[in-house]
Every structure is written in structure tokens, then in C-alpha cells.
């Protein structure tokens, strides 16, 4: 976390994240990024440098899905 113990969070309704990775690469000032409507399927693999990724894909229907990106220094389970 930041020295002041503040966490910067970005929540974004991406409505199809697969073609918008550049936006996230430019959002490095955030500690937690929550992406709604990611539309990702299990076969869509990606990694954003400096972040751990938690995903809840909707494998059988169009739309949906959540991606949570947490800076590497944030401990979670």
C-alpha cells in the first residue's frame, strides 16, 4: 500500500475488455482495478505487469464476467 495507507481503486464497466488492455496498462496509479462486463472466456489469457489477477468468467453466455486486478504488494485470499 501507499505510505499513507490509502488504496486507490478503479471500477470500470468495460463491456468487452479483450480489446482494451492498453487502458489498464496506463492505469498503473491504482492499487485495485475492478473490471465489470469483461466478456472474457477461460481461453482468453493475459497478464498485467505488477498485478495479480482474479477472474470470474462467464464461460457459456455472451457478456458478463469480472476481473479484479490487485497490485502485487496487496495480500489477499
Amino acid at each position: 500500500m501507499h505510505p499513507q495507507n490509502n488504496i486507490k481503486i478503479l471500477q470500470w464497466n468495460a463491456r468487452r475488455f479483450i480489446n482494451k488492455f492498453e487502458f489498464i496498462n496506463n492505469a498503473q496509479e491504482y492499487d485495485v482495478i475492478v473490471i465489470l462486463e469483461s466478456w472474457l472466456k477461460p481461453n482468453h489469457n493475459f497478464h498485467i505487469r505488477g498485478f495479480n489477477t482474479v477472474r470470474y468468467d462467464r464461460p457459456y453466455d455472451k457478456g458478463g464476467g469480472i476481473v479484479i486486478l490487485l497490485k502485487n504488494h496487496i495480500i489477499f485470499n
Side-chain angles (χ1 to χ4, degrees):
M1 285 193 261
H2 294 288
Q4 311 89 345
N5 292 325
N6 293 326
I7 296 176
K8 289 184 75 173
I9 300 172
L10 170 68
Q11 183 274 321
W12 175 38
N13 186 333
R15 194 170 168 116
R16 193 165 191 259
F17 176 57
I18 196 73
N19 60 349
K20 300 174 183 169
F21 290 123
E22 187 173 320
F23 174 83
I24 294 301
N25 283 326
N26 293 326
Q28 294 289 321
E29 76 241 37
Y30 295 98
D31 300 298
V32 178
I33 301 173
V34 180
I35 302 166
L36 307 174
E37 294 293 332
S38 65
W39 294 21
L40 294 176
K41 302 298 180 208
N43 64 326
H44 293 136
N45 295 316
F46 72 95
H47 176 74
I48 305 296
R49 188 177 334 148
F51 287 91
N52 291 306
T53 304
V54 178
R55 291 173 48 171
Y56 300 95
D57 298 335
R58 180 182 288 177
Y60 302 109
D61 292 322
K62 181 181 178 185
I66 299 170
V67 176
I68 302 170
L69 301 168
L70 300 117
K71 283 275 177 107
N72 288 337
H73 66 270
I74 295 177
I75 299 169
F76 70 98
N77 60 18

